Amino acid sequence: MFQKLLIVFCTIFVLSACGGGSNDLGPKQAPPPVDGGGDGGGDGGEPEPEPGEPRIFSFISFNEEADTYDWTSRCVDACNATAALSWNAGEQVLVANPQWASDADQLDIVGAVGEISDMETSAARIWVFVPAAYATDGKMRIHLVLGNAQGLKGVSLGIRPKAGWNRLEMWEMAAGTGETVMVGDVEAIDYGTFAWHDDGFTLRNINEIGVRLVANGKAPEVGGPLWLDNVTLTPASGTGPLIVDKDDPAWTVMDATPAVTVQRDDTGVYFEPTAGDQKLVYLLEGPVDLVGRSFDMTFTVDQAFKDSGADVQPIIQLNFGSYSGEFGCYVGNGSLTPGVPQSVNCATDNDAFVAEEGQNIRVGLQVKNQPAGRLTINSMQINIVSSSDTGPFAIIPSQASVDSGAWGNDNWQGLAGAPTLSYDSESGALSIVPNWQATDSNERTIMYLAADGELPDLEGATVGVELYLSDYYFTANPGMAVQIYIQQNGGSYTGNWGSNIALSDGEDLGNGWYRFERVMEDVPTEPSALRLGIKLQGAGLTTREASADPILLRRFTVE
């Protein structure tokens, strides 16, 4: 199973829990994470199974040669370099073998993906295997590159690759305005989370992903084949398209006589309109925000509709107040072919497109002119956070919560090796001094003591924790792992403990905020008061020093 081990260059770094025994990080030669299983806690709990997969828009594994067919190489700007592409059946990877012409060459290795209507706030990832010669030279840089249907490109911040597998990833992607802004006293161009993008680039209609290889002064004779694997485009956590089923009761006919009704068959949901402006729409319940969002629809007309000369107008429209709408996705009769599905993508930047509780937004279509026959919506997805999702539940440390004792630090064994906790006002985070020099226990426990009923339902939820880790834990004194756990705060103190997540999987990233996640299953419910926490597993540390850098905890989230 493909692991969700995410590294983000522009926001926060993400590492996710892996199950024991069957770990596969993706690329065939990437090492699995260390799985010590954890010593469980008070009742000797066992490691949890591998977490569920993220929702993926597009995943290219290169397990088959056909996966390489839509990939190509091209020089950027004035460039004479080339790159032959092939498939390595043994490793099941795409092989790019650049022939460099100068120390200023830039090469794109890119592939086509099924057009994705909206990648705003989403994530993209590629693994690249780099020969030692490039890493030894220390010059070449690798960037993630995305392209949209308008032919515009966006390029991520670059990395200096190491020998072996390298992950390139952007998380919570956002395109900038392209305008000059002031960052302190320095002028800079707003490219959002990108290092650079074309004027007018947006994350809508993304149809291309790949890598940009920048020689950056590298001598042309330094070369060798590079491997690409496990290309992923996936929504940010908690997001994704709302797939509207034809049997959903929220489908309705509006602005029509009672004789015009919603009907369904194997092809979709349909109506037989008798006059212009009659609507077949899905009522999307609030609270929901459609500003800057879009929907994809496939619809079909029959011969009678075509012969009537009527047009089709997909719409997004408030069903309250001003009834503001987006009507730009007009499909004239001349573009319609009976029995042949017509696909449209309609987007809106209208600031009015927000519905509160008890309000709704119409998403669907209306007919224009004098129609006859049948109009069927075969499929529709609305590219938003699902209207039932109000965002993640968050536990954020504060001076008051630390002072009140809501944050605990006692190892279940009751031994001396407990961390020292305090509130760091500058970072707005819980400061954790591990006290590794106390060697009577290998783990350090940090927990939030939730009140009865305080937490949302945790069964199946993704629990995340954001930690600031210094380079101390990656290069100076490596070997630590993190374990996310829950446990009742009374009764039998039943709990469960996820597998250890080894910091070595962060590939020596150094100082920064890191996010760790696991999916909760078999959550204890009675009593409902729970400890939500982490264990810092120190058995693998090179040394157990009193001078170890503190760790900051910014928040827990439950989604």
Side-chain angles (χ1 to χ4, degrees):
M1 180 176 280
F2 185 59
Q3 294 290 335
K4 187 181 177 188
L5 182 71
L6 306 180
I7 302 174
V8 184
F9 294 115
C10 301
T11 50
I12 54 179
F13 298 93
V14 179
L15 298 170
S16 295
C18 311
S22 61
N23 298 313
D24 175 13
L25 289 179
K28 266 56 71 180
Q29 294 190 6
V34 175
D35 181 12
D39 42 12
D43 64 358
E46 293 298 319
E48 291 299 306
E50 186 175 20
E53 296 296 330
R55 186 198 300 265
I56 293 175
F57 281 136
S58 184
F59 175 52
I60 305 171
S61 64
F62 298 114
N63 290 342
E64 301 177 357
E65 186 174 9
D67 289 344
T68 69
Y69 291 167
D70 292 327
W71 285 74
T72 188
S73 67
R74 60 175 178 242
C75 253
V76 180
D77 300 326
C79 174
N80 294 316
T82 60
L85 304 185
S86 61
W87 182 57
N88 183 317
E91 292 294 333
Q92 297 182 344
V93 296
L94 172 67
V95 180
N97 194 356
Q99 301 300 310
W100 301 92
S102 79
D103 64 3
D105 287 340
Q106 297 186 44
L107 271 170
D108 282 355
I109 313 296
V110 293
V113 294
E115 190 168 305
I116 300 168
S117 60
D118 193 350
M119 283 294 291
E120 189 79 18
T121 75
S122 298
R125 171 178 50 199
I126 295 180
W127 290 64
V128 183
F129 187 90
V130 176
Y134 288 100
T136 302
D137 177 86
K139 297 289 187 180
M140 187 181 72
R141 298 293 185 268
I142 306 180
H143 304 252
L144 189 70
V145 61
L146 293 173
N148 61 24
Q150 291 71 44
L152 303 177
K153 304 290 185 290
V155 178
S156 77
L157 296 175
I159 66 166
R160 183 176 66 185
K162 70 174 188 180
W165 282 107
N166 297 261
R167 304 180 191 91
L168 285 82
E169 181 151 357
M170 293 186 69
W171 187 252
E172 298 179 352
M173 292 189 294
T177 63
E179 299 177 354
T180 299
V181 296
M182 295 300 297
V183 181
D185 297 329
V186 179
E187 284 190 352
I189 298 177
D190 175 15
Y191 290 125
T193 54
F194 289 81
W196 169 89
H197 59 62
D198 286 319
D199 289 344
F201 172 81
T202 71
L203 285 159
R204 291 187 180 147
N205 304 322
I206 294 297
N207 64 1
E208 184 180 82
I209 184 172
V211 295
R212 176 164 294 182
L213 311 174
V214 180
N216 190 45
K218 179 192 69 64
E221 58 268 23
V222 176
L226 301 105
W227 296 350
L228 276 67
D229 203 359
N230 286 356
V231 179
T232 309
L233 293 165
T234 187
S237 181
T239 69
L242 172 63
I243 310 298
V244 183
D245 189 87
K246 68 181 178 64
D247 294 319
D248 194 305
W251 285 107
T252 188
V253 167
M254 305 189 79
D255 298 330
T257 64
V260 181
T261 61
V262 175
Q263 302 181 66
R264 297 171 175 87
D265 63 14
D266 291 341
T267 66
V269 57
Y270 68 91
F271 74 149
E272 296 172 330
T274 58
D277 294 329
Q278 293 180 355
K279 300 172 177 64
L280 174 60
V281 294
Y282 179 82
L283 296 181
L284 183 63
E285 297 290 337
V288 66
D289 184 343
L290 277 182
V291 179
R293 294 299 179 177
S294 63
F295 73 93
D296 296 276
M297 175 193 294
T298 301
F299 66 87
T300 306
V301 303
D302 66 5
Q303 187 65 55
F305 190 96
K306 172 68 175 180
D307 293 343
S308 74
D311 302 332
V312 179
Q313 188 173 52
I315 62 170
I316 312 174
Q317 185 180 23
L318 298 182
N319 196 37
F320 61 91
S322 66
Y323 290 86
S324 296
E326 176 62 57
F327 306 103
C329 277
Y330 202 94
V331 182
N333 188 271
S335 299
L336 302 175
T337 302
V340 177
Q342 177 88 28
S343 297
V344 294
N345 169 258
C346 306
T348 177
D349 289 316
N350 192 325
D351 290 339
F353 276 33
V354 178
E356 305 299 339
E357 188 76 34
Q359 301 173 333
N360 54 62
I361 298 176
R362 306 170 178 175
V363 185
L365 51 74
Q366 64 182 8
V367 296
K368 306 300 289 185
N369 305 324
Q370 184 59 44
R374 176 185 295 188
L375 176 55
T376 302
I377 296 178
N378 310 108
S379 65
M380 189 169 78
Q381 73 175 41
I382 306 173
N383 303 305
I384 58 168
V385 177
S386 174
S387 61
S388 63
D389 185 351
T390 57
F393 178 89
I395 300 171
I396 301 173
S398 65
Q399 186 69 62
S401 64
V402 172
D403 292 344
S404 70
W407 294 90
N409 62 350
D410 187 18
N411 283 327
W412 69 270
Q413 300 100 327
L415 301 176
T420 300
L421 305 183
S422 61
Y423 181 68
D424 185 270
S425 58
E426 183 176 348
S427 62
L430 184 72
S431 176
I432 304 164
V433 177
N435 296 318
W436 291 118
Q437 74 280 3
T439 57
D440 47 7
S441 172
N442 289 328
E443 64 180 27
R444 300 294 183 264
T445 302
I446 301 95
M447 55 191 172
Y448 179 78
L449 306 175
D452 187 46
E454 178 182 354
L455 296 176
D457 183 7
L458 292 181
E459 182 62 37
T462 297
V463 172
V465 62
E466 295 173 19
L467 302 176
Y468 184 88
L469 298 165
S470 70
D471 189 57
Y472 174 87
Y473 291 101
F474 292 98
T475 57
N477 193 18
M480 191 178 79
V482 175
Q483 184 182 40
I484 300 175
Y485 81 100
I486 55 171
Q487 185 181 27
Q488 290 174 327
N489 198 33
S492 63
Y493 291 90
T494 300
N496 62 42
W497 290 263
S499 299
N500 292 348
I501 309 168
L503 297 192
S504 57
D505 297 326
E507 297 186 344
D508 299 335
L509 289 171
N511 300 338
W513 284 101
Y514 292 75
R515 178 177 169 86
F516 301 81
E517 292 181 351
R518 68 167 287 216
V519 176
M520 294 292 176
E521 296 178 345
D522 301 323
V523 174
T525 57
E526 295 297 337
S528 64
L530 293 173
R531 303 171 175 181
L532 176 61
I534 60 172
K535 294 177 184 290
L536 305 177
Q537 300 291 350
L541 286 170
T542 304
T543 59
R544 302 283 291 275
E545 299 175 326
S547 59
D549 285 357
I551 295 168
L552 299 178
L553 189 158
R554 182 160 60 185
R555 66 170 61 86
F556 282 106
T557 59
V558 179
E559 301 181 66

